[in-house]
Amino acid sequence: MTRQHAHTAPRLRAWLGLAVVLGPVLLVSMDGSILFLAMPRISQVLSPTADQALWILDVYGFAVGSLLVAFGSIGDRYGRLRLLMIGATVFGLGSAGAAFAPTPELLIACRALMGVAGATLLPSALAVLSELFPDSRRRAQAIGIFAAAFATGFAIGPVVGGVLLGQFWWGSVFLVNLPVIIGFLVFAPVLLREVRPGGTGRVDPLSVLASAGGLLLTIYAIKHLAADGFSALPITTLIIGIAVLAYFVVRQRHLDNPLIDFSLFHDRVFTIAVITGLLPLAAWSAAAFLSATYLQSVLNLSVLHAALLALPGAAALTISCIVTPAVVERVGKRTALLVCHFSIAGGLLLLLPTTVTGGIGWYIASTVIAGLGYGISFAVVADTAVGAVPAERAGSAGAIAETSNEIGNALGIAVLGSLAALFFRLQGPDLAPTLDETLQLPSLLPSVIQDAKSAFVTGLHVVVVAASLLHAALGTVALRWLPKPAPQEQTTEVQEQPAQERREEQAVAGRG
């Protein structure tokens, strides 16, 4: 009886703790995509400019991506639970402010605040799993579930947004966060223990400023270069951002406790995995945003109808994310990464047959096929990052993985979205910068509407071809770089894991 209680109690606490952590994780990822279907409604009410609309969409991802590294290290040093509690509180306040924002400027500010809070939540939440699940096999399962929640948040964000907009006003897409945040603040102190790993040293303030400032300046410059072309301000900003990031990299090599251990990138599997965290998110966010506009503004579907059409792809993504850890255990990360990139490349190309008059079937097929690859990317990146480092660096490693995700999400909308906007301006009627703004103009002739929609579809096709080629290229690099695992090594690894698990369970029972 004593042995069974000692074995069951820690495991029950671990899984309950995981369930509590998944709430904010789901919200942080969901808020990266929940506005894809809501933007037409927000544009009608708040009337943002084209530039403000892009900032409403991507300032959240910019804030999260630029601060993840800093907050991952801060959580490692000063306590992950404390940072989770602070971040959840600020995220709730930012959500409430965004829901009732009367102007585009205030909405952008609240979205930025939510992004800062999100940067505190993701790396610490991922690091907590290392404490809850010390066994490598169970940790991989937990991280697979974590990654599935993160992926599901991105996937169902547009669906949740569409359902809420079908019943309530646009601010409801932010208020939906509050019940989850309140639940987390109530149960987290009960189920999660504070973790302050020893020997991690003090936080280097200059590294924090350099990582956050360099990333923000660089992403800002890339966004404006893609959207507006070459000019003095974005070029100067890009040069400064790259210089700050270079200083950050050099400084890390001379610190005893750096924010990022760049030696991790000597491992080719780790490097490919981190790039895999960035590129699929860029492709997914751009394709999801442009497809949402295509379904609503080109095919004239309702918000709810468009949301329901996204469900098959969301299901494929979630299932893929959950089963990937077990599949990787058998086939290896090399094969999983190859399947990831080539399935995304093929899935994106299925959007090419879409036209101004139809393409719903092609859209569903595209999201399902590409969704398999997106799910693999989430699971492989997270598990590789956390499993490659000791427990005291789990927050920093998790931050690298999540940073690649968030920067990819932001760059997808900023760069690939701007590429679509460029082709719309070049081939469209040249009456407004975007399709939605053009369609809102009064007294448009049917021929002008047709030209505008055709130009948008052309931009969508250009984006999916570009993203597909990038994925095919990265898949080819992975094929050449990553060695095939020896069959004997794979078998040994699979056989050793249950033995290690039994030894750790016996040790727990012995302490009871």
Side-chain angles (χ1 to χ4, degrees):
M1 184 70 69
T2 302
R3 288 169 61 89
Q4 179 159 358
H5 176 74
H7 169 72
T8 304
R11 181 181 297 181
L12 179 61
R13 170 188 165 269
W15 291 110
L16 289 175
L18 172 63
V20 169
V21 167
L22 293 183
V25 169
L26 186 69
L27 291 184
V28 171
S29 61
M30 187 174 70
D31 272 84
S33 62
I34 198 169
L35 294 189
F36 289 166
L37 286 176
M39 275 310 297
R41 184 78 60 83
I42 292 175
S43 296
Q44 292 174 3
V45 176
L46 298 184
S47 300
T49 65
D51 194 50
Q52 287 175 332
L54 280 177
W55 274 113
I56 291 171
L57 281 169
D58 57 28
V59 71
Y60 176 83
F62 287 168
V64 174
S66 62
L67 292 169
L68 273 170
V69 173
F71 281 124
S73 185
I74 289 172
D76 284 344
R77 287 159 170 79
Y78 296 118
R80 293 163 185 165
L81 179 57
R82 175 186 295 180
L83 198 59
L84 281 171
M85 298 295 288
I86 294 173
T89 302
V90 175
F91 194 87
L93 294 174
S95 299
F100 298 101
T103 64
E105 293 83 0
L106 188 55
L107 179 55
I108 291 171
C110 290
R111 288 277 289 169
L113 183 63
M114 293 170 64
V116 173
T120 71
L121 294 171
L122 288 176
S124 291
L126 190 55
V128 161
L129 299 187
S130 297
E131 185 272 331
L132 290 174
F133 299 91
D135 169 58
S136 60
R137 190 162 181 260
R138 285 224 166 86
R139 187 187 67 228
Q141 293 173 344
I143 289 177
I145 296 172
F146 176 99
F150 188 76
T152 300
F154 272 111
I156 69 172
V159 180
V160 173
V163 172
L164 290 173
L165 289 172
Q167 302 294 326
F168 308 103
W169 100 111
W170 64 266
S172 61
V173 300
F174 298 109
L175 286 185
V176 71
N177 297 336
L178 297 185
V180 178
I181 291 296
I182 292 172
F184 175 81
L185 294 175
V186 170
F187 291 107
V190 178
L191 294 171
L192 304 177
R193 291 196 298 262
E194 183 58 279
V195 182
R196 292 188 185 88
T200 55
R202 299 181 62 185
V203 173
D204 178 48
L206 283 178
S207 294
V208 172
L209 292 175
S211 66
L215 283 169
L216 186 59
L217 289 172
T218 302
I219 296 172
Y220 174 86
I222 292 174
K223 170 188 179 298
H224 278 272
L225 284 172
D228 305 322
F230 289 92
S231 61
L233 178 59
I235 291 177
T236 302
T237 304
L238 179 62
I239 294 173
I240 295 174
I242 293 175
V244 173
L245 288 177
Y247 167 77
F248 170 75
V249 173
V250 172
R251 186 171 182 82
Q252 302 316 291
R253 297 183 182 276
H254 296 88
L255 294 176
D256 294 331
N257 299 285
L259 288 184
I260 291 182
D261 182 3
F262 284 98
S263 65
L264 293 173
F265 289 93
H266 294 161
D267 185 330
R268 286 184 171 182
V269 176
F270 182 87
T271 301
I272 293 292
V274 170
I275 298 174
T276 299
L278 186 148
L279 188 55
L281 257 296
W284 183 88
S285 62
F289 173 57
L290 294 174
S291 296
T293 303
Y294 169 75
L295 295 173
Q296 293 181 83
S297 299
V298 176
L299 299 185
N300 299 317
L301 301 181
S302 67
V303 173
L304 182 58
H305 192 180
L308 294 177
L309 291 177
L311 286 177
L317 190 155
T318 303
I319 294 171
S320 172
C321 202
I322 293 174
V323 304
T324 289
V327 174
V328 168
E329 202 171 279
R330 293 181 176 274
V331 305
K333 291 178 180 176
R334 178 181 186 271
T335 302
L337 289 170
L338 293 176
V339 173
C340 165
H341 291 296
F342 288 116
S343 64
I344 293 175
L348 288 172
L349 291 179
L350 291 178
L351 287 174
L352 287 180
T354 56
T355 66
V356 173
T357 57
I360 291 177
W362 290 111
Y363 165 75
I364 294 174
S366 171
T367 58
V368 170
I369 300 299
L372 297 176
Y374 295 140
I376 294 172
S377 73
F378 279 111
V380 171
V381 171
D383 186 36
T384 300
V386 175
V389 300
E392 64 269 15
R393 300 295 295 169
S396 298
I400 295 175
E402 302 301 343
T403 297
S404 66
N405 289 155
E406 291 297 334
I407 292 178
N409 183 42
L411 287 179
I413 296 175
V415 178
L416 294 177
S418 296
L419 179 62
L422 173 63
F423 273 83
F424 179 79
R425 290 196 299 270
L426 292 176
Q427 299 196 359
D430 197 24
L431 299 176
T434 66
L435 175 62
D436 286 330
E437 289 178 288
T438 301
L439 296 179
Q440 290 175 15
L441 296 175
S443 304
L444 288 178
L445 295 175
S447 59
V448 174
I449 295 175
Q450 183 74 10
D451 289 344
K453 291 183 176 182
S454 297
F456 178 85
V457 172
T458 298
L460 170 64
H461 291 169
V462 170
V463 166
V464 298
V465 169
S468 179
L469 290 175
L470 288 174
H471 277 283
L474 187 54
T476 303
V477 170
L479 184 64
R480 295 176 60 87
W481 269 21
L482 304 181
K484 294 181 179 180
Q488 184 175 0
E489 292 178 3
Q490 280 190 326
T491 303
T492 302
E493 181 181 355
V494 172
Q495 290 175 345
E496 284 179 351
Q497 285 176 338
Q500 178 186 359
E501 179 182 341
R502 287 194 299 271
R503 288 195 297 271
E504 294 187 0
E505 290 178 354
Q506 290 170 1
V508 171
R511 288 195 296 269

